Amino acid sequence: MAALTLHHLSRLQASRHLSLPHRTLSSFPRNPVKNLIFRQNLAESSSFRLSTVAVKALSTVAVEDSSEKKMVKGIRVYEHGGPECVVFRICLVFHCGLVYNWKVLKWEDIEVGEPKDGEIRVKNKAIGLNFIDVYYRKGVYKPASMPFTPGMEAVGEVVAVGSGLTGRKVGDLVAYAGSPMGAYAEEQILPADKVVPVPSSMDPIVESGHTILVHAAAGGVGSLLCQWANALGATVIGTVSTNEKAAQAKEDGCHHVIMYKNEDFVSRVKDITSGKGVDVVYDSVGKDTFKGSLACLKSRGYMVSFGQSSGSPDPVPLSDLAPKSLFLTRPSMMQYNETRDELLECAGEVFANIASGVIKARVNHKYPLSRVADAHADVENRITSGSVVLLP
């Protein structure tokens, strides 16, 4: 009987050259004589006859390809389950069954070749995890072959280009989603026609041709938003509380001004947009306007809730976003300026737009620092407009 160690068996099983029957410890007869006969029969069964390739793997040293191979780290799946599952293996040396943990998602070296015609090699920067990856790992969906590297979405930098390929170059930032599978790796080979170039700046939600709704359009932030969005070519709708604020909002670039105390802003937005809704709502008011703001959005619109001057909005079930596939975000300036470079970049952009006249800061109210209580009262009572400054 071949004396194979557990190490040998696990290597063969991992390489798929040997298929071991899954049995429990109770499958082995307790009677010593029957146990010996059972082991002999098991060893002689067709399930334990090694293929020629497997024997060679144990008895010879493979000759390495003389060509240079690039190795990267990635995930490989050799059998479904997990992410970690308990698997039974048999050791013929000790004539016993062993139970041990087998990691389904294995972090290991993966060979990545050079791209061929029509292909590129991409160094992944970000990899999307989708629930379909779980289905493949568990075996609900079957991969084309085993073992396999999961992952169907990533963005990264092109590091090599196949011969004769045009339209892609080293250094390009690209993204893909879908096939082929294999994104769970530091680098991967992709068909060039399956990737799309990623713009150097993905930022502005507001673009030329968009229609936006800005609540508190005459406030400090609202004033800047209206000016900047107008300069970008957006159609700006603003809500205000007084005639004086309405006049300022128009000066700041609002194409349509809604007096929310006198008219329903949801109905007015529908009228202005011919029932289509707006692309983005910038809402710093919160509780009083939140639900109406969602109602103003068109399909796939963005709800940007960045304040709550009227109180915190009521909880929103995710199902409320589903009918129009809406996006909801609650941004905070601190997270956009976490590093010194980010801070300097953002500040520089604001200063440049002020210097060019794209935006102007409206400092409409100045209070002595000693009268800060008055300033707070005026802000809470919505008496102020533009920016409020305290002077020591």
Side-chain angles (χ1 to χ4, degrees), residues 304-333:
V304 182
S305 175
F306 66 98
Q308 49 195 42
S309 60
S310 67
S312 298
D314 294 329
V316 180
L318 284 177
S319 56
D320 285 3
L321 307 178
K324 293 191 286 185
S325 294
L326 300 179
F327 295 86
L328 171 61
T329 182
R330 180 59 172 88
S332 174
M333 186 182 68

Side-chain angles (χ1 to χ4, degrees), residues 27-279:
S27 299
F28 291 88
R30 296 183 181 277
N31 183 289
V33 176
K34 290 183 178 181
N35 189 289
L36 177 61
I37 296 173
F38 178 86
R39 291 198 303 272
Q40 289 174 339
N41 291 337
L42 182 63
E44 293 170 1
S45 69
S46 58
S47 296
F48 275 79
R49 289 176 183 170
L50 305 180
S51 67
T52 303
V53 178
V55 173
K56 286 183 178 180
L58 291 176
S59 61
T60 65
V61 178
V63 178
E64 294 292 332
D65 191 334
S66 57
S67 61
E68 200 172 310
K69 297 177 181 179
K70 180 175 178 61
M71 305 301 292
V72 300
K73 287 291 186 181
I75 295 294
R76 296 289 276 172
V77 174
Y78 289 87
E79 56 186 288
H80 298 299
E84 290 190 10
C85 64
V86 176
V87 180
F88 185 83
R89 292 291 181 267
I90 299 173
C91 175
L92 297 183
V93 173
F94 300 104
H95 313 304
C96 64
L98 299 176
V99 177
Y100 65 95
N101 284 332
W102 176 275
K103 288 186 177 180
V104 173
L105 297 170
K106 288 180 171 291
W107 176 250
E108 60 186 33
D109 289 328
I110 297 177
E111 181 182 336
V112 179
E114 290 300 317
K116 300 175 183 177
D117 290 348
E119 293 181 336
I120 56 176
R121 190 172 76 234
V122 177
K123 183 176 183 180
N124 286 330
K125 292 181 176 292
I127 300 161
L129 190 155
N130 299 283
F131 210 81
I132 193 172
D133 303 344
V134 177
Y135 288 151
Y136 275 107
R137 190 208 73 220
K138 295 172 70 175
V140 178
Y141 294 165
K142 302 299 182 184
S145 61
M146 296 285 283
F148 72 99
T149 297
M152 304 178 71
E153 180 182 352
V155 59
E157 180 183 351
V158 177
V159 293
V161 176
S163 61
L165 183 65
T166 60
R168 297 285 181 270
K169 64 181 185 301
V170 172
D172 283 351
L173 190 64
V174 297
Y176 95 102
S179 62
M181 193 182 298
Y184 284 17
E186 292 176 333
E187 295 186 15
Q188 65 182 131
I189 300 293
L190 288 170
D193 60 358
K194 294 294 185 180
V195 305
V196 296
V198 178
S200 57
S201 174
M202 292 282 294
D203 183 58
I205 292 176
V206 176
E207 298 176 358
S208 178
H210 278 186
T211 301
I212 71 170
L213 172 64
V214 179
H215 287 298
V221 175
S223 173
L224 297 175
L225 270 173
C226 293
Q227 295 175 63
W228 210 330
N230 184 290
L232 289 171
T235 299
V236 183
I237 304 171
T239 65
V240 297
S241 58
T242 67
N243 290 328
E244 292 77 17
K245 292 181 178 181
Q248 177 189 303
K250 289 180 179 179
E251 290 180 12
D252 288 339
C254 273
H255 301 89
H256 306 275
V257 179
I258 300 173
M259 303 282 290
Y260 68 85
K261 288 186 176 181
N262 304 327
E263 49 191 342
D264 177 53
F265 73 86
V266 177
S267 298
R268 285 285 288 119
V269 166
K270 289 183 178 180
D271 291 341
I272 294 168
T273 63
S274 300
K276 295 178 181 178
V278 298
D279 296 274

